[in-house]
Amino acid sequence: MKLKEILDYLNISQDSNIEISGLNGLKEATNSELSFLESSKYISSLKDTKAAAVFVNKEFKEDVPAGTLAIVCDEPYINLAKASKLFAPKLIENSGNEAIIGENTTIMPNVHLGKNVVIGKNCTIMHGSFIGDYVKIGDNTIIYPNITIYRDCKIGDNCIIHSGTIIGSDGFGFAHTKEGKYIKIYQNGNVIIGSDVEIGANCTIDRAVFSSTIIEDGVRIDNLVHIAHNCKIGRGSILVTQVGLSGSTTLQPYVIMGGQSATSGHLEIAAFSTIAARGGVTKSIKEPKKTWAGFPLIEHREWLKLQGKISKLLK
Amino acid sequence: MKLKEILDYLNISQDSNIEISGLNGLKEATNSELSFLESSKYISSLKDTKAAAVFVNKEFKEDVPAGTLAIVCDEPYINLAKASKLFAPKLIENSGNEAIIGENTTIMPNVHLGKNVVIGKNCTIMHGSFIGDYVKIGDNTIIYPNITIYRDCKIGDNCIIHSGTIIGSDGFGFAHTKEGKYIKIYQNGNVIIGSDVEIGANCTIDRAVFSSTIIEDGVRIDNLVHIAHNCKIGRGSILVTQVGLSGSTTLQPYVIMGGQSATSGHLEIAAFSTIAARGGVTKSIKEPKKTWAGFPLIEHREWLKLQGKISKLLK
Amino acid sequence: MKLKEILDYLNISQDSNIEISGLNGLKEATNSELSFLESSKYISSLKDTKAAAVFVNKEFKEDVPAGTLAIVCDEPYINLAKASKLFAPKLIENSGNEAIIGENTTIMPNVHLGKNVVIGKNCTIMHGSFIGDYVKIGDNTIIYPNITIYRDCKIGDNCIIHSGTIIGSDGFGFAHTKEGKYIKIYQNGNVIIGSDVEIGANCTIDRAVFSSTIIEDGVRIDNLVHIAHNCKIGRGSILVTQVGLSGSTTLQPYVIMGGQSATSGHLEIAAFSTIAARGGVTKSIKEPKKTWAGFPLIEHREWLKLQGKISKLLK
């Protein structure tokens, strides 16, 4: 899409012939993508961006690097939100190829297969499940009944997904206007699940706003777990029931999250960390192989001591 | 239904020709409805009730206002529960009008449309979803795959409901007999969702016991959120993942509930309040625009101080 | 299956003609079942086992009772996990009897009925639900839309199951290899639900690894509740929204679990106990009829006192 068309849609009068392929964050944007500066926190990312163009407030215009076009506007985030609609794929594709199904794969009745779906061999796709357009599933994977996989998501080999789980629903993203309205940020990314992953029943794994929410190989997820948009779950990690991960949480490999534990967004947990049940992680954990507990989070052995001290208050 | 029929069903020997249209709370009941006094806490509501008749214990008989018939019995709540069954609508209507579908609306295969359903224009109802009898959906609304909307519920314009969400399931209501049995209180109300509402995946929104559970315009709800019967979610409120609201919680407009926060029932939260993640609200919040945290709940800045003091216990 | 075949599959060179009917825990195993000693904690169960054979480390060989064959190996739990695959039933039965449906039972369109299903009279099975092979449902039971009941599970009379609930999904079980791989322990048990049980929307009740996860008569379960494999929920117990029970939790009759409360695994809660909202139970509760709160869990009245003392820290 021509940048000119986007700006016309937003009532921004600036001319440009640049061809824009999509939206992305400042760090991730390529030279055909449009980005934005939401807050001065990310100014260093702005200076290093490779984006074709960025929405910025007037005061940050000079920080936009050469080779990137500055689109000066009052509300960069609102404009990004509005523009996201222009890049949203169709809810349902009306045309496209019929699904390609590998040998020895069983598709039960009442399953929906979208356009351009590819499913490997020896899979079983059970009653009532919805396989959206352009979904790709590897070999030997089991999709239990009544699962929904939104368009564009990818699942590897030897996976087991239990009933009622939703893969690729929209991340929780919107911009607030001054008038108290919310402008939806269309979630144009997807979910990519590696191989040898088992996911329990009634989980929700949201698609990324840009690029991908990623579940790496060998991950084990229990029931009723929530994984927000743009999370990355490292290889071999274990998420016990009712865990809730906020947006852009990165778990390095082999992290264990106990039942009902949670994270706030945009943080990273070091490899081989264990978060005890109910632990609430609000800052990145940099040192690997430690065990943490509580909310606020402290080391587990400290948490045990603290509970001892607290119980003495009763004496 | 004649009151006489109800009383015969309950083995209460009292005669009456009054026509009863339904059951309701003391405050809400009209002069064709039957109500009950569960506990002496609600005695002032009893004195002001407009109900046609009320189940009451003998000791409160004199508090029943003129114009309302007192039905004296030992277990008013048990009788109400038993009577609720008589007013329960059919699980499935066998006759009625075929659904009325607005122009440019897409209904995918494998969708169930009940009797007397009305769906506006430009909607998309996706695979596997169940649209119960008498459900009404406005214009431009998207119902993603494998959603269940129980009978009688209403959804406005420009809404997006994500997969696996259940709207209108029964509230959690029953009366205890002395013998340890539970008598189901049939949930004969519905859910009413306004316009411009987005609801995430695998949420549960229970129907009201009487009247309606209400989600007002512009509300944003993340995944795996629970909203109990008779809640009212004010305009523009935001509910983050895994929030749990107990019965008859009222959120005034623009309340923000952080992830995994919760309320106990029958309380109200003032407009523009923010409940931090994991906050547990057990009393009404009357002052607007404040931020709260913890369980028991205190002001967020106090909570931060408190955590500082608690961590000093370790020293 | 001959034990010899199992051992060949595991590359254990030991000869035996014993016929093995299944896998089981040391305590529960019959003299046609194969068991295992995972940790020295369970040595007394080993000494009393009736199992036909057990996987044990060399050091515990002498503790295997006469009449039970010791299969000495380095990793008993890994071998048990691998062997579990051999006993897993088929994902979908291709042959068997058509479902037997009682009189006056309604099966809506788009329902899947597996092989050898038996459903009683006066039931309603609604749109989109999946009734797996060998499932048995009693009389007068309502299965709301889009429910999944995995194979072999049993549901009694007069039950109500709300939409989106998953019954019989796999428990969260796997053995860790030294190389950081997880070997799935096939969950070859089932779920047995008694009579007069109501289960809310989007709950997950996992099947047992061996034998059964049990929900006794009269239990009431709210929405989004998780019940792990091998739990036993005693008669008349009440589980409020978002409760999470870990594996092998036993609730004696009439236990109340408040909203978002949880248990860690392998423990028992005495009859008529109440766990307040958010309570976290990590040890068995032996004394009945008490009310508990907090995490770590203490008596509710102590918890109230403690919160008073804690709030004084702020002064």
Side-chain angles (χ1 to χ4, degrees):
Chain A
M1 190 179 300
K2 290 274 180 255
L3 180 54
K4 180 76 173 70
E5 291 172 69
I6 302 169
L7 299 181
D8 284 351
Y9 175 77
L10 300 171
N11 292 317
I12 295 174
S13 53
Q14 187 167 338
D15 210 353
S16 166
N17 260 325
I18 305 175
E19 183 71 26
I20 296 295
S21 63
L23 308 174
N24 216 334
L26 286 167
K27 279 187 182 172
E28 299 81 8
T30 66
N31 65 4
S32 71
E33 290 179 317
L34 174 58
S35 193
F36 65 106
L37 180 73
E38 189 190 352
S39 121
S40 57
K41 261 198 302 187
Y42 301 111
I43 195 109
S44 69
S45 299
L46 176 63
K47 289 176 177 171
D48 292 340
T49 193
K50 302 274 183 291
V54 286
F55 295 117
V56 281
N57 280 117
K58 196 162 56 178
E59 58 187 300
F60 301 113
K61 193 186 167 181
E62 301 309 316
D63 299 304
V64 177
T68 296
L69 179 71
I71 304 164
V72 174
C73 55
D74 284 346
E75 300 182 308
Y77 197 51
I78 297 282
N79 280 315
L80 184 278
K82 287 179 178 169
S84 71
K85 189 172 183 175
L86 301 177
F87 291 93
K90 282 185 185 168
L91 202 53
I92 308 169
E93 297 288 347
N94 296 313
S95 61
N97 300 322
E98 290 308 297
I100 298 171
I101 311 288
E103 62 181 51
N104 206 22
T105 279
T106 301
I107 311 284
M108 287 181 77
N110 289 315
V111 164
H112 171 84
L113 297 179
K115 299 299 181 189
N116 303 304
V117 162
V118 179
I119 301 177
K121 55 190 183 188
N122 303 318
C123 292
T124 306
I125 314 291
M126 293 178 76
H127 162 92
S129 287
F130 173 92
I131 313 297
D133 301 314
Y134 290 93
V135 165
K136 192 159 182 287
I137 297 175
D139 298 336
N140 312 312
T141 283
I142 300 169
I143 305 294
Y144 273 99
N146 292 325
I147 285 168
T148 302
I149 305 176
Y150 282 54
R151 60 169 302 155
D152 303 322
C153 295
K154 302 198 186 320
I155 297 177
D157 301 330
N158 305 308
C159 291
I160 301 174
I161 317 285
H162 285 284
S163 287
T165 281
I166 313 298
I167 295 171
S169 42
D170 284 355
F172 197 53
F174 40 85
H176 304 51
T177 69
K178 289 168 194 152
E179 299 78 26
K181 284 201 64 172
Y182 304 129
I183 311 290
K184 181 178 176 70
I185 299 175
Y186 281 79
Q187 307 285 306
N188 298 332
N190 69 350
V191 176
I192 299 179
I193 294 174
S195 291
D196 190 31
V197 170
E198 183 161 356
I199 301 177
N202 280 347
C203 293
T204 62
I205 303 179
D206 281 350
R207 68 196 306 107
V209 52
F210 319 122
S211 66
S212 302
T213 302
I214 294 173
I215 315 284
E216 292 189 342
D217 292 352
V219 167
R220 291 288 180 276
I221 300 176
D222 202 348
N223 297 340
L224 290 169
V225 167
H226 167 68
I227 297 178
H229 52 180
N230 295 79
C231 285
K232 183 179 168 185
I233 311 300
R235 182 167 40 92
S237 290
I238 295 173
L239 281 65
V240 179
T241 187
Q242 297 173 327
V243 160
L245 300 186
S246 294
S248 300
T249 295
T250 294
L251 305 188
Q252 293 294 349
Y254 292 100
V255 169
I256 298 174
M257 302 281 305
Q260 300 186 340
S261 65
T263 65
S264 53
H266 297 273
L267 57 76
E268 189 165 335
I269 299 181
F272 295 98
S273 297
T274 295
I275 311 299
R278 295 261 175 94
V281 187
T282 57
K283 291 177 192 161
S284 286
I285 295 174
K286 292 179 181 166
E287 213 180 330
K289 300 188 184 176
K290 289 194 158 179
T291 298
W292 305 83
F295 178 58
L297 196 79
I298 54 179
E299 273 200 68
H300 186 247
R301 58 184 178 195
E302 296 290 300
W303 185 82
L304 292 172
K305 265 191 237 168
L306 183 59
Q307 300 310 322
K309 300 258 171 116
I310 287 175
S311 73
K312 271 187 199 146
L313 290 177
L314 270 173
K315 305 279 154 67
Chain B
M1 187 180 299
K2 291 276 179 250
L3 180 55
K4 179 75 173 71
E5 292 174 68
I6 301 169
L7 298 181
D8 283 353
Y9 175 77
L10 300 171
N11 293 316
I12 296 174
S13 52
Q14 188 167 338
D15 210 351
S16 166
N17 260 325
I18 305 176
E19 183 72 25
I20 296 294
S21 62
L23 308 174
N24 215 334
L26 287 166
K27 280 187 180 171
E28 299 80 9
T30 68
N31 66 4
S32 71
E33 290 179 316
L34 174 59
S35 192
F36 66 105
L37 180 73
E38 189 191 350
S39 123
S40 58
K41 262 201 300 188
Y42 302 109
I43 196 108
S44 69
S45 300
L46 175 63
K47 289 174 178 173
D48 293 339
T49 192
K50 301 275 182 292
V54 288
F55 295 117
V56 282
N57 280 116
K58 195 162 56 178
E59 58 188 299
F60 300 113
K61 193 187 169 180
E62 302 309 316
D63 299 302
V64 176
T68 296
L69 180 71
I71 304 163
V72 173
C73 54
D74 284 346
E75 301 181 307
Y77 197 53
I78 296 283
N79 280 315
L80 182 280
K82 287 179 177 167
S84 71
K85 188 172 184 174
L86 301 177
F87 290 93
K90 281 187 185 167
L91 202 54
I92 308 169
E93 298 288 348
N94 295 314
S95 60
N97 300 320
E98 290 308 297
I100 298 171
I101 311 289
E103 61 182 50
N104 204 21
T105 279
T106 300
I107 311 283
M108 286 181 79
N110 290 315
V111 164
H112 171 84
L113 298 179
K115 299 298 181 189
N116 302 304
V117 162
V118 180
I119 300 178
K121 56 190 183 189
N122 304 317
C123 291
T124 306
I125 314 291
M126 293 177 77
H127 162 92
S129 288
F130 173 93
I131 312 297
D133 301 314
Y134 290 92
V135 166
K136 193 161 181 285
I137 297 175
D139 298 335
N140 313 312
T141 283
I142 299 169
I143 304 293
Y144 273 99
N146 292 325
I147 284 168
T148 302
I149 305 176
Y150 282 54
R151 62 170 299 155
D152 302 322
C153 296
K154 301 195 187 324
I155 298 176
D157 301 330
N158 305 307
C159 290
I160 301 174
I161 317 285
H162 285 283
S163 287
T165 281
I166 313 299
I167 295 171
S169 41
D170 283 357
F172 198 54
F174 41 84
H176 304 51
T177 69
K178 288 167 195 154
E179 298 78 25
K181 282 200 68 172
Y182 304 129
I183 312 290
K184 180 176 176 71
I185 300 174
Y186 283 77
Q187 306 285 306
N188 298 332
N190 70 350
V191 176
I192 300 179
I193 294 174
S195 292
D196 190 31
V197 170
E198 183 161 356
I199 301 177
N202 280 347
C203 293
T204 63
I205 303 179
D206 281 351
R207 70 197 303 108
V209 53
F210 318 122
S211 67
S212 301
T213 302
I214 294 172
I215 316 285
E216 292 188 343
D217 293 352
V219 167
R220 292 287 181 278
I221 300 176
D222 202 348
N223 298 340
L224 290 168
V225 166
H226 168 68
I227 297 178
H229 52 179
N230 294 79
C231 285
K232 182 179 170 186
I233 312 300
R235 182 167 40 92
S237 290
I238 294 173
L239 281 65
V240 179
T241 188
Q242 297 173 326
V243 160
L245 300 186
S246 294
S248 300
T249 295
T250 294
L251 305 188
Q252 293 294 348
Y254 292 99
V255 168
I256 298 174
M257 302 279 306
Q260 300 186 340
S261 66
T263 65
S264 54
H266 297 273
L267 57 77
E268 188 165 336
I269 300 181
F272 296 97
S273 297
T274 295
I275 312 299
R278 295 262 175 93
V281 187
T282 57
K283 290 177 193 161
S284 286
I285 295 174
K286 291 178 181 166
E287 212 180 331
K289 300 188 184 176
K290 289 195 158 178
T291 299
W292 305 83
F295 178 58
L297 197 78
I298 53 178
E299 273 200 68
H300 186 247
R301 59 182 179 198
E302 296 289 300
W303 185 82
L304 292 173
K305 265 190 236 167
L306 183 60
Q307 299 311 320
K309 301 256 172 123
I310 287 174
S311 73
K312 272 187 198 146
L313 289 177
L314 271 174
K315 306 277 154 68
Chain C
M1 189 180 299
K2 290 277 179 252
L3 180 54
K4 179 75 173 71
E5 292 172 67
I6 301 169
L7 298 181
D8 284 351
Y9 174 77
L10 300 171
N11 292 316
I12 294 174
S13 52
Q14 189 166 339
D15 209 354
S16 167
N17 260 326
I18 305 174
E19 184 72 26
I20 297 294
S21 62
L23 308 175
N24 215 335
L26 286 166
K27 279 186 182 174
E28 298 82 8
T30 67
N31 65 5
S32 72
E33 289 178 318
L34 174 57
S35 193
F36 65 105
L37 181 71
E38 187 191 351
S39 122
S40 58
K41 264 200 298 190
Y42 301 110
I43 196 109
S44 69
S45 300
L46 176 64
K47 288 175 178 173
D48 292 339
T49 192
K50 301 274 183 293
V54 287
F55 295 117
V56 281
N57 280 117
K58 196 162 54 176
E59 59 188 297
F60 301 113
K61 193 185 168 182
E62 301 309 317
D63 299 303
V64 177
T68 297
L69 179 70
I71 303 163
V72 174
C73 53
D74 284 345
E75 299 181 308
Y77 197 51
I78 296 282
N79 280 315
L80 184 279
K82 288 179 178 169
S84 71
K85 188 172 185 176
L86 301 177
F87 291 92
K90 281 187 186 170
L91 201 53
I92 309 169
E93 298 287 347
N94 296 313
S95 61
N97 299 322
E98 290 308 296
I100 299 171
I101 311 289
E103 63 183 51
N104 205 22
T105 279
T106 300
I107 312 284
M108 286 181 77
N110 290 316
V111 164
H112 171 84
L113 298 179
K115 299 299 181 190
N116 302 305
V117 162
V118 179
I119 301 177
K121 57 190 182 186
N122 304 317
C123 292
T124 306
I125 315 291
M126 293 178 75
H127 163 91
S129 288
F130 173 92
I131 312 297
D133 301 314
Y134 290 93
V135 166
K136 192 160 181 288
I137 297 175
D139 297 335
N140 312 311
T141 283
I142 300 169
I143 305 293
Y144 273 98
N146 293 325
I147 285 168
T148 301
I149 305 175
Y150 282 55
R151 62 169 300 155
D152 302 322
C153 295
K154 302 198 186 319
I155 298 177
D157 301 330
N158 305 308
C159 291
I160 301 174
I161 317 285
H162 286 283
S163 287
T165 281
I166 313 299
I167 294 171
S169 41
D170 283 355
F172 198 52
F174 41 84
H176 304 51
T177 69
K178 289 167 194 153
E179 299 78 26
K181 284 201 66 172
Y182 305 130
I183 311 290
K184 180 176 177 71
I185 300 174
Y186 281 78
Q187 307 285 306
N188 298 333
N190 69 349
V191 176
I192 299 178
I193 295 174
S195 291
D196 190 30
V197 170
E198 182 162 357
I199 301 177
N202 281 345
C203 292
T204 62
I205 303 178
D206 281 350
R207 69 197 305 108
V209 52
F210 319 122
S211 68
S212 301
T213 302
I214 294 173
I215 315 285
E216 292 188 343
D217 293 352
V219 167
R220 292 289 181 275
I221 300 176
D222 201 348
N223 298 340
L224 290 168
V225 167
H226 167 69
I227 297 177
H229 51 180
N230 294 80
C231 284
K232 182 179 169 185
I233 311 301
R235 181 167 41 91
S237 290
I238 295 173
L239 281 64
V240 180
T241 188
Q242 297 173 327
V243 160
L245 300 186
S246 294
S248 300
T249 296
T250 294
L251 306 188
Q252 293 294 347
Y254 292 98
V255 169
I256 299 174
M257 302 280 306
Q260 300 185 340
S261 66
T263 66
S264 53
H266 297 273
L267 57 77
E268 189 166 335
I269 300 181
F272 296 97
S273 296
T274 296
I275 312 297
R278 295 260 175 94
V281 187
T282 56
K283 290 177 193 162
S284 286
I285 295 174
K286 292 181 180 165
E287 213 180 331
K289 299 188 185 178
K290 290 197 156 176
T291 299
W292 306 82
F295 178 58
L297 197 79
I298 54 179
E299 273 200 69
H300 186 248
R301 57 182 180 197
E302 295 289 300
W303 185 82
L304 291 174
K305 265 191 235 168
L306 183 59
Q307 299 311 320
K309 300 256 172 122
I310 287 175
S311 72
K312 271 187 199 148
L313 289 179
L314 271 174
K315 305 279 154 66

